[in-house]
Amino acid sequence: MTAGSGAERAGGRRRFFGAVSPTGEGQPVTRFELLFDLVYVFAVTRVTDYMARAHTAEGVVQGLLLLALLWWTWAGYAWLGNQARADQALLRAGMSVAMAALFVVDLTIPEAWHDKPGGLNGPLVLLAAYLVVRCLHLAVYSVAAAGDAGLRRQLAITWIPTLAGAALLLIGVLLGGWRQTVLFAAALLVDWGVVFVTSRRGNWRVHSASHWSERHDLFVILAIGESILAIGIGAADQPISGPLLVAAVLGVAVAIGLWWLYFDLVAPAAEQRLEQARGQARTTLAVEAYSYAHFPIIAGIVLAALGVEGVLAQASGHGELGWFYAAALCGGAALYLIGHLLFANRMRYGVHVGRLVTTAVLLGWLPAAAVLPSLVALAVVVGILAALIAGETVRYADLRRAVGHG
């Protein structure tokens, strides 16, 4: 071995790893990450449509399992983008392939449990594309973590629940029916559970608090956008009428209310708390408050959007909303607030009592919402959210000023 050949190999490694640019403190979200999130816009729409078409409790459970699979992939790439810039060289190439695979997942969502005659097997195609996204993430992340022995060890451990979950997903796809639903839930429990337990070692890294909070802010906006889209879907093919316009306005009010409850105080307070934390404390907040506690926030928005879509679909009539859409509307808004309570608990800031009371009020309103006209049911939900917002605006005025609001 000559000195020259050794230097060439060392230079080759430097050039290869030099293709990964570390994310620094204060680094904003890259434009490529915004592009990457577009496949999730379509995904959330497909999940909502799946639940609406199924129109059963089982269909909602299946839709939420699909949403959880999608959320887990997005959370993984959010961690990757916080490790290294997503718009350069290796990460951009890897995430481009992941985008294509994710779009395949999106296309197969209607066949996730029931394969349509002809063509490829839908559930198997969905599983194969999902595993491409997960395995590619861990492979690229390992390269981006070069030089960080603790992080690479954590990534190596993460292969275990990933492959164990994949085996359960495959068995579920082959068995089909209710067994598939149970095994999909078991796969998520294994994957999420093992990663959570092993994360206590503190080997994950959060290099930029602002990037981390902004990534999750954008996904919340993406999900709220689904509630806006639900208005258009629910109103499709209906003649313009007074009740339809009222329902549309109320639907927009729900979207604004959900946005307000997250972005007026919660998001800036959480970002400030994350920026103040260092080392293991910051990592713990990122794992527990964002990667885990944010899922019920997202799921709540999607369910509420499903409920709004149901209201718009029958806004021109005078019939009752029904249990399915009432549960989606009131239960979704309640789940959204439960996610907020979990988030606030892990971030250790206030804003608890009002949201806990409002959660109980929404669940208490559900039986009445199911048997009342859809417009009345939606109007009361808007009123409940508005009352919570008004109360918090007064009660937490000092906290709002402390986090930068005038």
Side-chain angles (χ1 to χ4, degrees):
M1 179 187 298
T2 66
S5 63
E8 287 173 3
R9 278 192 293 275
R13 285 195 296 271
R14 283 194 296 270
R15 285 192 296 271
F16 179 72
F17 291 117
V20 177
S21 299
T23 298
E25 188 67 75
Q27 170 70 47
V29 172
T30 64
R31 292 184 178 88
F32 187 77
E33 287 171 293
L34 300 179
L35 175 65
F36 181 77
D37 285 354
L38 291 180
V39 292
Y40 289 94
V41 176
F42 184 45
V44 172
T45 301
R46 298 285 271 187
V47 169
T48 306
D49 183 66
Y50 179 89
M51 293 189 291
R53 290 180 182 275
H55 207 81
T56 61
E58 182 185 22
V60 170
V61 171
Q62 292 171 346
L64 291 177
L65 289 174
L66 291 171
L67 184 65
L69 289 174
L70 290 162
W71 170 256
W72 202 233
T73 62
W74 181 88
Y77 281 92
W79 281 97
L80 176 59
N82 202 270
Q83 176 69 21
R85 286 183 60 94
D87 59 350
Q88 296 186 5
L90 179 65
L91 265 70
R92 177 160 45 174
M95 290 177 68
S96 295
V97 176
M99 281 182 65
L102 280 165
F103 197 75
V104 172
V105 172
D106 297 349
L107 291 175
T108 55
I109 284 175
E111 297 185 52
W113 264 262
H114 307 286
D115 181 45
K116 294 180 180 179
L120 301 174
N121 184 287
L124 281 176
V125 172
L126 182 148
L127 176 59
Y130 170 76
L131 291 179
V132 168
V133 176
R134 291 297 310 282
C135 294
L136 183 62
H137 163 258
L138 290 175
V140 174
Y141 207 157
S142 296
V143 176
D148 188 333
L151 179 55
R152 298 197 78 173
R153 183 165 53 252
Q154 178 66 58
L155 291 167
I157 293 172
T158 304
W159 277 101
I160 298 173
T162 299
L163 296 178
L168 291 171
L169 291 171
L170 177 59
I171 296 172
V173 165
L174 295 177
L175 293 177
W178 65 268
R179 299 177 184 84
Q180 181 181 351
T181 303
V182 172
L183 287 168
F184 268 44
L188 284 167
L189 183 62
V190 169
D191 204 350
W192 289 36
V194 173
V195 171
F196 182 82
V197 171
T198 58
S199 294
R200 313 298 291 183
R201 301 168 179 261
N203 289 325
W204 297 109
R205 308 285 183 258
V206 180
H207 295 289
S208 173
S210 58
H211 174 277
W212 186 252
S213 59
E214 186 182 358
R215 286 296 286 130
H216 290 77
D217 289 354
L218 290 170
F219 201 94
V220 171
I221 291 178
L222 180 157
I224 292 176
E226 167 59 21
S227 64
I228 299 292
L229 184 61
I231 298 173
I233 294 175
D237 300 324
Q238 291 195 56
I240 298 299
S241 64
L244 183 68
L245 295 178
V246 171
V249 171
L250 291 173
V252 172
V254 170
I256 294 172
L258 298 179
W259 178 94
W260 196 300
L261 288 168
Y262 185 87
F263 287 99
D264 183 63
L265 179 58
V266 171
E271 180 177 354
Q272 188 177 85
R273 175 76 178 86
L274 191 65
E275 288 176 343
Q276 293 168 350
R278 292 291 182 271
Q280 176 59 32
R282 178 183 283 190
T283 300
T284 300
L285 292 177
V287 171
E288 297 180 2
Y290 284 91
S291 293
Y292 285 86
H294 260 62
F295 178 69
I297 292 176
I298 300 302
I301 295 172
V302 172
L303 286 175
L306 175 63
V308 170
E309 182 178 332
V311 172
L312 267 293
Q314 50 188 314
S316 296
H318 301 284
E320 61 186 35
L321 180 58
W323 282 97
F324 179 80
Y325 286 121
L329 179 62
C330 299
L335 180 60
Y336 178 74
L337 293 177
I338 290 171
H340 276 250
L341 292 170
L342 294 172
F343 185 50
N345 178 263
R346 301 318 305 149
M347 296 303 293
R348 295 178 176 83
Y349 62 82
V351 195
H352 288 84
V353 177
R355 300 191 179 206
L356 183 61
V357 171
T358 304
T359 299
V361 171
L362 285 166
L363 293 177
W365 172 245
L366 198 162
V371 298
L372 287 173
S374 57
L375 283 179
V376 174
L378 181 57
V380 171
V381 170
V382 170
I384 293 171
L385 295 178
L388 173 61
I389 290 169
E392 288 189 348
T393 299
V394 174
R395 182 173 182 179
Y396 300 109
D398 291 340
L399 181 57
R400 291 175 74 254
R401 284 191 291 270
V403 296
H405 289 283

